Amino acid sequence: MQTKSISDGWLTLSRKCESPHFNQRPEGAKGEVSLLVIHNISLPAGQFGLPYIDQLFQGCLDVEADASFCELEGLTVSAHFLIRRDGEIVQYVSCDDRAWHAGVSHYDGRDGCNDFAIGIELEGTDNCKYTDLQYQQLRMLTLALFDAYPMLNVKTIVGHSDIAPGRKTDPGDSFDWQRYLTSLVG
C-alpha cells in the first residue's frame, strides 16, 4: 500500500473533484489549521454510492433528481474530503483554503470553525455503521494531516455535533470514536 501525504494542501493518490465553494483562510493565527471536524453525509439520505455529493459540493446538484433535494437548491457548501463507503477518498478543497463545512460553529472560545478547521465527510448516516475501509482510510488521512499541520493531534479532533450542538448530530452514534482515536496512537 502506498503512503499518502499532503502536498500544497492536496492529498496525493486521491480523487480530486474541485469545488468552487471555498475561500482563503484568514491571515495569521486565526487561519492556522488547528482543528479536524468529522461529519457524515448521504444524498439522498441513507443512500450511498451515488453522484450527488460531488454535485452538491461542486454547485451543480440537479435538485429535480430527488424530492428531498429541493431544500438544497442554491446551497453553497463543501468539505475538504469525503471518504466513501468503499474507501475512496475524494478531495474538494485544498487544506490550505477554507472549505464551507462547519456553518455557524464554536470551538474552544473561537467562532467560525471553517477559518481554522479541516472538514472530513464520511459517506453515511448517524445510525448506520461505517465500514472498515472508511476507518482505515480515515486513519491514513488523519495521520497525513498530522504530518502536514503540526497543530493537529488526537485532542483537536471533534465531530460536527461538538462544534454546532443542537444544530448538528453528525457523525452520530454509529461512529466509533474509540476505534478511530485508538488507531491513531497505536
Side-chain angles (χ1 to χ4, degrees):
M1 178 189 288
Q2 291 181 302
T3 302
K4 296 182 183 189
S5 63
I6 305 289
S7 177
D8 296 322
W10 292 94
L11 181 68
T12 60
L13 306 173
S14 65
R15 181 165 65 88
K16 193 182 215 182
C17 185
E18 293 186 56
S19 172
H21 303 150
F22 75 95
N23 56 357
Q24 291 184 333
R25 293 185 187 274
E27 292 293 322
K30 183 159 174 42
E32 287 184 297
V33 174
S34 57
L35 186 67
L36 186 58
V37 182
I38 309 299
H39 304 260
N40 73 37
I41 189 170
S42 58
L43 290 176
Q47 296 184 35
F48 310 125
L50 301 173
Y52 303 120
I53 299 169
D54 286 352
Q55 291 175 12
L56 175 66
F57 290 163
Q58 289 183 304
C60 61
L61 178 65
D62 176 7
V63 295
E64 303 293 321
D66 188 90
S68 67
F69 293 172
C70 67
E71 64 192 41
L72 302 175
E73 188 166 9
L75 186 65
T76 54
V77 65
S78 63
H80 292 93
F81 299 97
L82 167 69
I83 303 176
R84 292 198 170 272
R85 299 194 66 79
D86 64 3
E88 179 190 28
I89 298 177
V90 183
Q91 186 169 3
Y92 301 95
V93 175
S94 166
C95 295
D96 295 338
D97 290 320
R98 176 174 40 198
W100 303 340
H101 59 96
V104 176
S105 52
H106 181 87
Y107 176 76
D108 197 28
R110 299 169 72 186
D111 293 325
C113 294
N114 286 338
D115 290 349
F116 54 93
I118 290 176
I120 300 175
E121 296 275 0
L122 298 173
E123 186 177 34
T125 67
D126 285 5
N127 54 13
C128 179
K129 187 177 176 181
Y130 296 95
T131 70
D132 289 340
L133 286 171
Q134 286 178 298
Y135 283 107
Q136 290 167 15
Q137 293 289 65
L138 180 59
R139 176 186 184 276
M140 180 281 314
L141 174 56
T142 302
L143 293 174
L145 290 167
F146 284 2
D147 285 344
Y149 300 95
M151 293 178 75
L152 293 178
N153 59 64
V154 293
K155 294 180 180 178
T156 61
I157 302 171
V158 297
H160 198 185
S161 59
D162 297 315
I163 62 170
R167 188 174 69 82
K168 294 294 180 178
T169 58
D170 56 315
D173 292 336
S174 61
F175 185 70
D176 189 340
W177 282 103
Q178 182 175 0
R179 174 182 180 174
Y180 169 49
L181 296 175
T182 301
S183 76
L184 298 174
V185 295

